[in-house]
Amino acid sequence: MAYYAGYLFRCEYYFSRLPANLPEFISKEGEAPHVSIVVAARNEEEHIQACLRDLFSQDYPAGTFEVILVNDHSEDRTKELALETGAGQANFRFLDLENKPEVAFKKAAVAYGIEAAQGEIILVTDADCRMGPNWMSVMVSEFSSEVGMVSGPVLLESKTVFGDLQALEFMGLIAVGAGSIGAGSPNMCNGANLAYRKEAFEEVKGFCGIDQIASGDDELLMHKISDLTDWGIVFAKNPEAVVRTMAHRSWKEFREQRLRWVSKSAQYQNSSITWTLVVFYLAILGLPSLLVLSIFFPEMWPIFWINLGLKVLAEATILHAAAQFFGKLPLMRWLIPEQLLHILYVLWIGIAGNLQSYTWKGRIIK
């Protein structure tokens, strides 16, 4: 538990010290690199129109960005609504994903979009996301000549207690990922808000080598760029860069998402990341184990409380820093209930994510 807590304290240290000044927005066409926004969409009729309207409303020089929507075999009205919303937009391109069994699902759609992209910078988000008008300008402004990838912040919005608990935990994940980037050892990012140079993507041969699993179009690609190139990776710690999406409405939706996330852990090529996850799992597993031992051996109670205290303190520290950045400090009221659920959830998902099949967008994935 000492390692777990120390790691979170370290991430909070680097997250809190990331530069957070508002950059100058790109306003002159000559200064603006050409950007291709790639959105992979499958069965998103509920969200696709709002997302596209946000993308078309970006405060970025006209003629220097395009929106590429890749329809991943949607079975609802996603295609119809997307074409309706994009009608008359000169910078909108709609692609239907062809059958490409050698590449897994979302990666196939993203890769198809990048293949058609004209921009030097690829900006990816999800079809169920919302963003402000300065989102693109802020994300692109983070690219210096040495930077090959920019990770952006993602916020879960909620109207329920279950959603609030998800949002609180998710803010912590974003802050840990940002802190690891600030520390020079990037390990986490989110495909709902990610940008990278097309050159960097091609340099690591895109998703080649990681295209056999459904997840990992974000983290595994980041690991490749970090490990195989000299490109720098930064985090856009800026409120204008936040992308928002709704928390899951049911336990089933949440479970399927987390099973998909954990399924990619077996593909990590960086052994230090794998061992860190193993140590984290053992640290969480140690808490219920110590609780049982303390019931039978009372002299163990101090050890249990010390370990539990370390977990709560470390997580409270980074969650508070994240909540401050996102302007969501009221969510900290759920810290204690979140602790119990976090322990149970981590113990279950660590095993189930590597053994169970799951459903994603109507597809059963082994």
Side-chain angles (χ1 to χ4, degrees):
M1 185 59 70
Y3 180 82
Y4 175 81
Y7 186 89
L8 293 187
F9 286 135
R10 178 175 180 264
C11 286
E12 188 280 330
Y13 175 87
Y14 283 102
F15 174 72
S16 296
R17 283 154 184 79
L18 286 172
N21 295 327
L22 291 176
E24 273 186 45
F25 296 142
I26 299 170
S27 58
K28 297 179 181 178
E29 187 170 339
E31 298 175 352
H34 198 285
V35 180
S36 295
I37 305 174
V38 176
V39 183
R42 175 173 169 81
N43 298 340
E44 291 289 357
E45 64 179 8
E46 183 179 350
H47 308 105
I48 191 62
Q49 290 186 300
C51 178
L52 286 176
R53 290 189 188 110
D54 285 353
L55 297 180
F56 295 142
S57 301
Q58 289 300 299
D59 184 14
Y60 198 80
T64 56
F65 77 97
E66 61 181 348
V67 178
I68 301 175
L69 181 70
V70 185
N71 179 38
D72 182 8
H73 306 95
S74 293
E75 299 163 327
D76 60 5
R77 298 178 65 229
T78 295
K79 179 175 181 176
E80 175 188 342
L81 295 174
L83 289 173
E84 176 185 313
T85 308
Q89 298 287 341
N91 62 343
F92 178 59
R93 301 169 67 189
F94 182 92
L95 303 176
D96 264 318
L97 181 64
E98 301 171 356
N99 290 317
K100 295 188 175 182
E102 73 278 8
V103 182
F105 308 125
K106 184 183 176 182
K107 292 194 192 75
V110 174
Y112 194 40
I114 293 174
E115 183 181 345
Q118 299 174 354
E120 61 185 281
I121 291 176
I122 306 298
L123 188 51
V124 294
T125 188
D126 290 336
D128 60 352
C129 289
R130 304 294 306 274
M131 57 286 296
N134 295 319
W135 168 66
M136 191 191 321
S137 288
V138 173
M139 290 293 287
V140 173
S141 70
E142 296 285 346
F143 282 92
S144 66
S145 59
E146 297 83 20
V147 171
M149 175 177 273
V150 176
S151 172
V154 180
L155 175 66
L156 293 187
E157 296 190 324
S158 165
K159 298 179 181 178
T160 66
V161 173
F162 179 52
D164 284 352
L165 291 169
Q166 293 176 62
L168 181 62
E169 187 230 11
F170 195 76
M171 287 192 305
L173 294 177
I174 295 296
V176 168
S180 71
I181 290 172
S185 53
N187 56 28
M188 277 198 297
C189 60
N190 194 284
N193 194 4
L194 193 61
Y196 38 86
R197 295 185 184 275
K198 188 173 183 180
E199 179 184 353
F201 182 81
E202 292 173 342
E203 187 174 337
V204 298
K205 296 181 174 56
F207 299 125
C208 180
I210 58 173
D211 52 10
Q212 70 276 23
I213 58 171
S215 187
D217 56 283
D218 41 25
E219 287 182 13
L220 296 181
L221 178 63
M222 182 182 73
H223 297 168
K224 289 183 71 175
I225 292 175
S226 175
D227 296 340
L228 303 178
T229 77
D230 294 325
W231 290 109
I233 299 174
V234 299
F235 181 82
K237 190 183 180 185
N238 189 315
E240 299 278 356
V242 173
V243 161
R244 306 178 306 282
T245 188
M246 290 299 297
H248 292 296
R249 290 170 286 193
S250 68
W251 163 252
K252 180 180 178 181
E253 291 178 350
F254 175 79
R255 179 192 67 197
E256 300 301 325
Q257 180 197 58
R258 296 313 170 93
L259 285 172
R260 178 165 55 90
W261 284 3
V262 172
S263 68
K264 65 176 175 277
S265 61
Q267 305 298 320
Y268 290 161
Q269 299 299 308
N270 190 325
S271 59
S272 66
I273 296 177
T274 301
W275 280 111
T276 295
L277 292 175
V278 170
V279 172
F280 283 5
Y281 188 82
L282 292 176
I284 302 301
L285 177 62
L287 289 172
S289 301
L290 283 171
L291 178 61
V292 172
L293 285 173
S294 298
I295 293 173
F296 293 99
F297 303 98
E299 63 271 19
M300 298 291 291
W301 280 113
I303 300 176
F304 167 76
W305 289 115
I306 289 172
N307 279 270
L308 180 60
L310 276 174
K311 179 184 186 297
V312 174
L313 179 61
E315 293 184 7
T317 299
I318 196 159
L319 286 172
H320 187 270
Q324 277 190 315
F325 166 70
F326 283 109
K328 293 290 185 179
L329 281 173
L331 288 179
M332 289 298 293
R333 69 184 183 275
W334 300 112
L335 175 64
I336 300 304
E338 189 268 345
Q339 290 295 304
L340 175 60
L341 292 176
H342 182 253
I343 292 171
L344 297 175
Y345 146 70
V346 168
L347 294 179
W348 167 75
I349 200 69
I351 297 174
N354 291 289
L355 297 177
Q356 291 186 10
S357 61
Y358 58 90
T359 302
W360 182 75
K361 303 288 185 179
R363 291 166 167 151
I364 299 176
I365 302 171
K366 301 294 184 181

